[in-house]
Amino acid sequence: MPNTAQTPKMESFALVCDSSCDIDCHVLAADDVYFMPFYIQNAAYKRKECREISSQEFYAEYTTSRSRFVPLAPTTEDYLTLFEDLQDKGYTEVLSLHSTKAIANSYDAALEAAKRVANIKVCVLETKCISAGLALVLAAALKYRTLAHTLDETATYAANVANSVRFMLILPPQRTSIAQTSRALLPSVMNEAKRLHARALRMRRVISLERDGVPHELYRSADLQLLAGRIVRTMSLFSQKEGSLTYLELSAGVPKFLSGIEKPLDTNEFESRLAGSLNANPSNTTRFGIGAVGVAFVPSEYVSADFVHAMLAEEDVSAYI
């Protein structure tokens, strides 16, 4: 790995991340990261998450309303406007980080916008991560930019980190899949039958997001503690190969469910440090389901828990490099 023991300098390029990273837009602004929101749409409105509807407002509405909520990706015009605004601010280069296309596709719109914008270099990266996993990739990119690495160096580093991130998510009983294509693959009646069957059995599933960016089901059980223990075992095996881990927790609307995975994570079986907890933004809540909980982890050599915590706490990250 490259030596990062350098003196931090001022940023040399703009850093953009879509809202599927599940970091609040105000936190990203404090870290000089530009935020691109997904939309939430129902029969009554179409709103930008974080900017026009908060996670707390959405959780309350989602659990009490009979409306069907649909997440929509930012458009090419949204990205074109942002990239042109960054050019007006004086930037000549941009690194734009995106979630996996298999679940939440903002990548294609940004890629098309990058082709259409003139006199500014835009590097568009599909990380094949989402949620807390994408947050870890963003933290690594922010670290490298803080160390005054070039756009190309930072993009390469972020891609390497993305390949090393693992995200494991426990779906609530009513959720059977999170892939964008899942509903297209099965008739709606079959999807509904699977959902009702899982709900009746209180069956939860552990979904793993790995290097291909596609969600894979690993385990299923009605016992949350059992599933959490299996996640911890997976982390232990990963740590045996990769060393100490930095990890983030995720909760979609029901933070108390995190306690079901926190106890198994309090182990001496391997070395790891918690960097913080994220609340799922509205778009990811519609994908994962209310009550989903998860853990994203990466080797600590890429980004430390202290650095990620400082980013989320809106502190000076340069003190933790």
Side-chain angles (χ1 to χ4, degrees), residues 13-19 33-37 74-76 78-80 82-83 86 93-99 106-114 117 120-128 134 137-138 141 145 151-152 154-155 158-159:
F13 58 88
L15 190 54
V16 173
C17 192
D18 72 46
S19 61
V33 176
Y34 292 89
F35 174 88
M36 177 56 72
T75 65
T76 297
D78 290 332
Y79 277 106
L80 187 59
L82 175 58
F83 295 157
L86 293 174
E93 295 183 326
V94 178
L95 174 58
S96 191
L97 301 178
H98 301 271
S99 51
S106 65
Y107 171 79
D108 287 338
L111 192 63
E112 179 60 27
V117 69
I120 184 171
K121 178 181 178 180
V122 181
C123 178
V124 182
L125 178 63
E126 183 200 358
T127 66
K128 299 188 184 296
L134 180 55
V137 177
L138 173 61
R145 187 184 67 173
L151 169 67
D152 291 339
T154 303

Side-chain angles (χ1 to χ4, degrees), residues 251-307:
S251 169
V254 190
K256 68 179 182 180
F257 286 165
L258 280 178
S259 62
I261 65 174
E262 286 174 340
K263 186 175 181 179
L265 280 166
D266 184 15
T267 176
N268 294 323
E269 187 175 340
F270 59 96
E271 184 178 348
S272 64
R273 287 193 60 196
L274 173 63
S277 298
L278 301 178
N279 295 317
N281 276 331
S283 62
N284 275 345
T285 300
T286 63
R287 298 180 184 108
F288 304 158
I290 287 285
V293 291
V295 180
F297 50 95
V298 71
S300 299
E301 63 178 327
Y302 284 112
V303 63
S304 70
D306 287 338
F307 185 94

Side-chain angles (χ1 to χ4, degrees), residues 158-176:
N160 289 337
V161 174
N163 283 333
S164 296
V165 168
R166 298 293 181 270
F167 179 46
M168 302 187 73
L169 184 70
I170 303 177
L171 300 180
Q174 69 272 20
R175 189 68 51 173
T176 59

Side-chain angles (χ1 to χ4, degrees), residues 226 228 313:
L226 175 63

Side-chain angles (χ1 to χ4, degrees), residues 164-203:
S164 296
V165 168
R166 298 293 181 270
F167 179 46
M168 302 187 73
L169 184 70
I170 303 177
L171 300 180
Q174 69 272 20
R175 189 68 51 173
T176 59
S177 178
I178 60 174
Q180 281 194 336
T181 57
S182 62
R183 291 192 177 276
L185 292 175
L186 290 171
S188 59
V189 173
M190 292 179 66
N191 270 302
E192 184 64 10
K194 287 181 66 178
R195 185 187 69 81
L196 292 175
H197 181 69
R199 187 171 185 177
L201 296 178
R202 305 303 298 167
M203 193 70 67

Side-chain angles (χ1 to χ4, degrees), residues 43-106:
Y45 62 73
K46 175 183 175 182
R47 295 177 182 170
K48 296 177 180 178
E49 59 184 2
C50 190
R51 289 182 175 162
E52 296 175 347
I53 181 169
S54 70
S55 295
Q56 287 69 30
E57 291 170 335
F58 178 75
Y59 293 155
E61 189 170 353
Y62 189 74
T63 54
T64 59
S65 172
R66 293 185 178 181
S67 295
R68 180 172 180 264
F69 294 89
V70 178
L72 299 175
T75 65
T76 297
E77 288 68 29
D78 290 332
Y79 277 106
L80 187 59
T81 298
L82 175 58
F83 295 157
E84 289 175 343
D85 286 346
L86 293 174
Q87 184 179 31
D88 291 341
K89 292 178 185 295
Y91 288 104
T92 58
E93 295 183 326
V94 178
L95 174 58
S96 191
L97 301 178
H98 301 271
S99 51
T100 175
K101 291 170 61 176
I103 302 174
N105 185 15
S106 65

Side-chain angles (χ1 to χ4, degrees), residues 196-223:
L196 292 175
H197 181 69
R199 187 171 185 177
L201 296 178
R202 305 303 298 167
M203 193 70 67
R204 299 174 185 267
R205 290 167 167 78
V206 173
I207 301 297
S208 176
L209 200 65
E210 301 187 7
R211 294 180 181 180
D212 58 2
V214 176
H216 300 274
E217 182 179 319
L218 298 184
Y219 316 110
R220 61 175 64 186
S221 173
D223 187 338

